[in-house]
Amino acid sequence: MKRLAALLAAVGMIAGAVLVRGWLDDRRGSGGDRATGASAQLTLVCVTELAGVCEQLASREPGLRVRTEELTTTVSTLTGGDLDARSSEIDGWLTLAPLPEVVDEQRVRAGLQPVLTGQVGPLARSPLVLVVWNDRRAALEATCPDRVISWRCLGAIAGEPWTQHGGTVTWGAVKPGHPAPDRSAVGWLALAGAAASWFGRADYAANDFADPAFRQWLEKLERGVPSFPAPPRTPVDEMLSKGPGTFDVAASTEAAATGAIARSRVKDRLSVIYPVPSSTADVVLATVAGSDGEDRLRRLLESRDAAEVLADQGWRVAGREDAAGGTAEPLPPTNGLPRPGVLQALRNLWFEVIR
């Protein structure tokens, strides 16, 4: 009788162990353990400008979870404390260059170790453009030096009555627009492009911002911006849905602008301008320290599927000249943006100007 009881106890222990092991395996397979091989779930955080890209990737890739965040949210997470993939639940960040370098430079300045351990890209590129109503374009060309519509010209007349610049009284004041540099990656890069227009070059330095004339111009430009739509909404979205009463001319990427305009009922009333100096939004993947999914994310984002998704969303991908954004304007060899530290200093100045 004792032998039978002992045998039954042993069988029960074995059965229990099998059940526990199965429960643990189920947890790992469903993402309970983030570091368990190829079947573990990965989390890719995306800037709002790449929301459509990330949603398509997630629909094609089992085990990939995507999360779209405003720029400020992700930067705050990545620059805070001793962060790694396990504590942050971020394996990678799909964003625009050079924002990963900006994040790591902020960490170094705070006495922290860099947290973005690898960078892949550029995976795709898109010129930064201006979208303008055709009637406003004609007035601006008559007003701006050499008939060239530039950020420098827009800043000089922002907020002034259109009647002083070849427009009609019904147009009100000159209303430039761009996404908010604190909440939008494209907004931050557009601000850098605007500064390049004023300086006449992309390699300006932070000490150039001490020029009172530049600060006065920047303040006038930003005071003339009527609003900063909450991401993912953009000034161009406002123009397309509400008409010219919102913005007269606004910054965007070619990827976002051309497809949206082509589908719009007002497509014949708008033009896309490629400012000089030219600059581009370049898509990059940055992986987070502590993630075991770096190789998987790299393979995914460098895959043919990812290239197809990016091209479908209007981004220019090497070897894919059929991208929705088109390739009428050649891409510059570099992104035409200042160094990461200068980019951060410019955003800090923007905060001072708009207060």
Side-chain angles (χ1 to χ4, degrees), residues 35-345:
T36 55
S39 64
Q41 189 174 65
L42 295 176
T43 298
L44 180 65
V45 172
C46 309
V47 291
T48 54
E49 294 83 352
L50 295 170
V53 171
C54 289
E55 288 166 7
Q56 285 196 44
L57 287 175
S59 70
R60 297 182 180 209
E61 181 68 15
L64 178 66
R65 177 175 59 187
V66 297
R67 186 169 77 241
T68 301
E69 291 182 349
E70 289 188 12
L71 181 65
T72 306
T73 301
T74 311
V75 169
S76 177
T77 299
L78 294 175
T79 54
D82 295 328
L83 175 143
D84 63 24
R86 297 173 192 277
S87 63
S88 67
E89 293 193 350
I90 301 176
D91 294 289
W93 186 29
L94 196 65
T95 185
L96 304 178
L99 300 187
E101 289 96 326
V102 173
V103 164
D104 277 342
E105 189 165 297
Q106 286 187 44
R107 290 183 62 86
V108 170
R109 289 179 182 273
L112 302 169
Q113 291 295 317
V115 72
L116 299 174
T117 56
Q119 186 167 307
V120 182
L123 302 164
R125 307 179 69 196
S126 186
L128 294 171
V129 300
L130 291 171
V131 175
V132 59
W133 297 101
N134 291 334
D135 51 2
R136 271 69 162 176
R137 177 175 185 169
L140 287 170
E141 287 175 341
T143 297
C144 294
D146 301 320
R147 298 185 61 83
V148 175
I149 300 174
S150 66
W151 278 112
R152 180 164 185 147
C153 176
L154 292 172
I157 64 174
E160 296 180 0
W162 267 112
T163 51
Q164 297 179 11
H165 303 288
T168 70
V169 67
T170 59
W171 294 1
V174 177
K175 302 178 291 297
H178 61 74
D182 58 330
R183 304 173 71 180
S184 158
V186 168
W188 199 346
L189 302 190
L191 183 67
S197 176
W198 194 89
F199 290 112
R201 65 186 197 281
D203 61 346
Y204 53 88
N207 55 13
D208 291 325
F209 302 155
D211 185 340
F214 170 72
R215 186 184 180 108
Q216 183 179 21
W217 168 85
L218 181 63
E219 183 169 354
K220 186 173 184 182
L221 172 65
E222 295 306 307
R223 296 292 182 191
V225 176
S227 65
F228 296 103
R233 193 84 177 159
T234 70
V236 171
D237 291 332
E238 297 288 288
M239 293 170 72
L240 294 178
S241 64
K242 300 178 182 178
T246 54
F247 300 92
D248 300 306
V249 54
S252 182
T253 59
E254 179 192 71
T258 54
I261 292 173
R263 296 187 296 270
S264 170
R265 56 184 173 80
V266 294
K267 61 183 177 182
D268 296 329
R269 298 174 57 194
L270 290 163
S271 297
V272 175
I273 298 172
Y274 293 77
V276 176
S278 59
S279 53
T280 63
D282 293 358
V283 179
V284 294
L285 166 70
T287 52
V288 178
S291 170
D292 293 323
E294 179 176 351
D295 289 340
R296 288 173 57 201
L297 282 175
R298 178 187 294 269
R299 287 194 300 271
L300 171 61
L301 270 301
E302 289 182 332
S303 69
R304 185 176 301 176
D305 272 358
E308 181 179 304
V309 168
L310 285 160
D312 287 346
Q313 293 283 323
W315 293 85
R316 299 199 195 180
V317 179
R320 290 292 304 268
E321 283 71 23
D322 59 332
T327 55
E329 292 286 330
L331 289 170
T334 66
N335 62 20
L337 297 168
R339 297 187 305 276
V342 179
L343 205 60
Q344 179 61 47

